Amino acid sequence: MEVSDVIDLAREALWVAFLLGAPILAAGMIVGLVVSFLQALTQIQDQVIAFVPKLLAVGLTFAIALPWLLAILLEYWEKIFHLRGGF
């Protein structure tokens, strides 16, 4: 394996990590902002009110995006195994 292959794998690993985390983090952030805005409007400052919708949004996003996330991860693993020459 060449040095350039290792650099390309590391660069792609960072991109794959971004792609795997972005949808879930974005859903949590968007729901968190909406809930915080609603809490500021109603002046209800209970932490559980903010936590439960974020947890549901993250779980739902993970369940919906799971096939896409696995496809990205499998594509990356296949690239690694082809560069190594298999097991």
Side-chain angles (χ1 to χ4, degrees):
M1 186 179 294
E2 298 289 322
V3 174
S4 62
D5 292 336
V6 174
I7 292 171
D8 287 339
L9 283 176
R11 184 181 307 120
E12 192 168 346
L14 291 173
W15 181 246
V16 167
F18 171 76
L19 288 177
L20 293 177
I24 297 168
L25 291 174
M29 184 182 70
I30 291 168
V31 170
L33 287 173
V34 169
V35 169
S36 295
F37 181 72
L38 292 175
Q39 282 183 322
L41 286 177
T42 60
Q43 295 183 355
I44 298 173
Q45 298 301 322
D46 189 12
Q47 294 298 324
V48 175
I49 293 174
F51 179 73
V52 172
K54 282 192 279 187
L55 182 66
L56 292 174
V58 166
L60 185 63
T61 303
F62 183 72
I64 291 172
L66 188 61
W68 179 71
L69 298 174
L70 286 176
I72 290 173
L73 198 55
L74 286 174
E75 181 181 321
Y76 181 66
W77 284 345
E78 286 175 358
K79 183 175 182 178
I80 289 173
F81 287 134
H82 285 303
L83 283 177
R84 282 192 69 220
F87 283 108

